[in-house]
């Protein structure tokens, strides 16, 4: 059974940084990719970024490009999301999930992902 567990959220002032972690365990797709999504109160789920565990290729939403960095540690089956220059509009529940790694494709729709974590709250104060 696949388990996905996020950690690392919290409260930070605007301009600050946080690092989220997403640990994956169990038998997953092979190869697979890990994506981060976020959902702010009253808004829909928004794609943030995705990383292919084999090779490390990444894709970012325009809203976070240049501020957020996704990385992986295959030995630990863990993906990290380093968030810098945080803005109040980054406030949301952040969740990670896994998807198939298809050559030449970066999945960005939540419907393409499964085995979601429980989420971690990120709050950025102004």
């Amino acid at each position: 059974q696949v388990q996905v567990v996020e950690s690392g959220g919290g409260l930070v002032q605007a301009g600050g940084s946080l690092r989220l972690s997403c640990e994956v365990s169990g038998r997953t797709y092979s190869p697979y990719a890990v994506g981060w999504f976020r959902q702010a109160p009253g808004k829909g789920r928004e794609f943030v970024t995705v990383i292919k565990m084999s090779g490390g290729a990444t894709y970012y939403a325009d809203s976070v490009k240049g501020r957020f960095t996704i990385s992986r540690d295959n030995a630990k089956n863990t993906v990290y999301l380093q968030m810098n220059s945080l803005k109040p509009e980054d406030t949301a529940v952040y969740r990670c999930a896994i998807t198939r790694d298809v050559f030449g494709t970066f999945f960005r729709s939540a419907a393409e992902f499964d085995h979601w974590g429980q989420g971690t709250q990120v709050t950025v104060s102004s």
Side-chain angles (χ1 to χ4, degrees):
Q1 184 173 353
V2 179
Q3 284 193 313
V4 179
V5 179
E6 305 99 335
S7 60
L11 172 65
V12 65
Q13 287 189 328
S17 299
L18 280 175
R19 189 177 82 155
L20 307 183
S21 298
C22 173
E23 183 175 359
V24 179
S25 60
R27 179 172 290 185
T28 65
Y29 304 113
S30 181
Y32 71 101
V34 176
W36 283 96
F37 291 77
R38 65 186 182 185
Q39 188 164 15
K43 295 188 177 182
R45 191 172 299 180
E46 177 190 14
F47 168 80
V48 176
T49 182
V50 62
I51 187 167
K52 299 190 175 209
M53 298 301 282
S54 178
T58 60
Y59 188 92
Y60 295 90
D62 287 343
S63 58
V64 305
K65 200 173 294 183
R67 299 188 299 123
F68 291 11
T69 302
I70 190 171
S71 61
R72 81 212 193 281
D73 183 335
N74 285 337
K76 296 181 179 179
N77 290 324
T78 299
V79 168
Y80 303 99
L81 182 62
Q82 178 67 42
M83 305 185 295
N84 298 328
S85 302
L86 282 162
K87 305 174 182 179
E89 50 263 45
D90 294 318
T91 295
V93 174
Y94 284 70
R95 299 179 71 187
C96 62
I98 66 171
T99 186
R100 298 161 291 126
D101 176 359
V102 176
F103 180 78
T105 298
F106 286 102
F107 291 118
R108 287 164 281 168
S109 167
E112 298 287 352
F113 289 78
D114 51 24
H115 303 298
W116 293 81
Q118 81 288 352
T120 185
Q121 177 70 45
V122 171
T123 303
V124 184
S125 63
S126 57

